[in-house]
Amino acid sequence: MAQRKQLTWTELRVGLFVLAGLFLLAIAIFYVTGAGFIGPKYRLYTYLPEVEGLQVGAPVRLDGVEIGNVDGIELTPHPENPDRNIKLTLRIDQRFKDKIRTDSIASLITEGLLGNRYVTIKRGLVGAAIPQNGEVPGKGGAAMTAMIENIRSLSDELTDMIQRVNQGQGTLGKLITDTSLYDRLNGTAGRAESLVASVQRGEGTVGKLVASDELYNRVNHAIGSADDIIGAVKDQKGTMGKLIYDPSFYQETKGVVEKGNALFGDIRAGKGSLGKLATDDTLYTNLRDASANVRDATAKLNSNEGTAGKFFSDPALYDNMTGLTGDMRLLISDFRQNPKKFLSIKVHIF
């Protein structure tokens, strides 16, 4: 018969220390995470239409502050009132009993977009405190459910679009699956490579510009000629060099400017004929008077005043002149036909 092994005091003491350490560690974990399993609790109930993703033990928060956890989830179908399909048992810290009132509202919140769900309670302000085993009014998270449904719908649409792209449907599908675009791009790349090779061989205008040094030599020669011209100008050669460096041109130009200034000064002073024309108003007065006299004379001519006015506007003078002209024409005609008639000489002797 096997003998029973006896525990020594040392082994028992080590075990007790391990258990005490684990117990303290558990207390520290619950304290840091806010689970708050130490302290008096009381239970409340709430009803919600759905609790998808909610787990027993999920936190219960009051305006963001954790005050307990979900102690139970129970199906309570209500065909006449689907908002009371699920009954939740909430285990709440006794310290927050006066904060949850009849005007508080319990609902579900999802952490992040696809995170864990928890129960949140909106703190009441004017209602009475809910007692032990009382009911907190519940409100379904329709907005989050609708958002999840929209995400699922969008995911389905994206899946369908990817399938159609893989099948080569639409512009994007043809770009991805049709090899004609690749063939065209490949052909274009081949032609571009051939073009680059011809340029490297010096063929064509671009090739000559790249491979031939003729243009460089011409530009270099032109730059050399420009350097020679600039050097000649610096050496005061040629007309340009003299214009830039010879002071006589400056002196002559200065003299012309000074004479011009003196001329304009004399004109402003009224000297000479040009000065009098520019500054004396006698000529202006005479021209004005002459213009007035011409205007008056023209007015008199238009008004039939005086001999000249009648000469220009009286029709009798025109008729007389016309008749006189006719008589003169007849007289000249008679004189040509019979000049003796007009040239006869009579001699009388006394």
Side-chain angles (χ1 to χ4, degrees), residues 267-286:
I267 292 174
R268 287 194 296 268
K271 296 179 180 180
S273 300
L274 188 59
K276 292 185 181 297
L277 288 174
T279 59
D280 192 359
D281 58 352
T282 303
L283 179 62
Y284 167 75
T285 304
N286 293 335

Side-chain angles (χ1 to χ4, degrees), residues 222-241:
I223 294 175
S225 300
D227 290 338
D228 294 339
I229 294 173
I230 295 173
V233 171
K234 289 182 178 179
D235 294 338
Q236 304 182 19
K237 297 179 181 179
T239 304
M240 184 64 70

Side-chain angles (χ1 to χ4, degrees), residues 117-305:
R117 305 187 78 180
Y118 64 90
V119 178
T120 181
I121 299 177
K122 181 179 179 182
R123 183 171 55 177
L125 299 175
V126 297
I130 300 177
Q132 170 81 5
N133 296 324
E135 179 180 344
V136 182
K139 181 180 180 181
M144 181 59 66
T145 303
M147 184 177 68
I148 293 174
E149 293 297 328
N150 292 333
I151 293 175
R152 290 177 178 175
S153 177
L154 179 61
S155 176
D156 294 339
E157 292 179 359
L158 289 175
T159 303
D160 181 64
M161 183 178 67
I162 293 172
Q163 290 178 353
R164 287 189 280 108
V165 168
N166 291 332
Q167 294 172 1
Q169 299 178 6
T171 304
L172 185 60
K174 292 184 181 299
L175 288 175
I176 294 176
T177 59
D178 193 358
T179 59
S180 60
L181 177 62
Y182 167 78
D183 296 336
R184 292 179 182 177
L185 291 176
N186 193 21
T188 302
R191 288 192 293 271
E193 185 178 359
S194 175
L195 178 62
V196 172
S198 64
V199 169
Q200 291 176 346
R201 290 193 301 269
E203 299 176 357
T205 304
V206 179
K208 292 184 181 300
L209 290 175
V210 173
S212 177
D213 57 354
E214 181 180 358
L215 179 62
Y216 166 76
N217 294 331
R218 291 182 179 180
V219 173
N220 191 23
H221 179 71
I223 294 175
S225 300
D227 290 338
D228 294 339
I229 294 173
I230 295 173
V233 171
K234 289 182 178 179
D235 294 338
Q236 304 182 19
K237 297 179 181 179
T239 304
M240 184 64 70
K242 294 184 180 299
L243 288 175
I244 294 176
Y245 292 100
D246 191 356
S248 61
F249 177 73
Y250 166 74
Q251 297 296 335
E252 292 176 359
T253 304
K254 182 180 178 181
V256 172
V257 172
E258 291 177 350
K259 292 179 181 179
N261 292 333
L263 177 61
F264 285 115
D266 293 339
I267 292 174
R268 287 194 296 268
K271 296 179 180 180
S273 300
L274 188 59
K276 292 185 181 297
L277 288 174
T279 59
D280 192 359
D281 58 352
T282 303
L283 179 62
Y284 167 75
T285 304
N286 293 335
L287 290 175
R288 183 186 62 187
D289 295 341
S291 176
N293 293 333
V294 172
R295 185 178 64 250
D296 295 339
T298 304
K300 290 180 180 180
L301 291 175
N302 292 331
S303 61
N304 298 330
E305 296 180 3

Side-chain angles (χ1 to χ4, degrees), residues 320-340:
N320 293 332
M321 292 296 293
T322 302
L324 179 60
T325 303
D327 293 340
M328 290 295 293
R329 187 171 61 252
L330 292 175
L331 177 61
I332 293 171
S333 178
D334 290 341
F335 178 78
R336 288 177 178 177
Q337 293 176 1
N338 189 8
K340 295 179 179 181

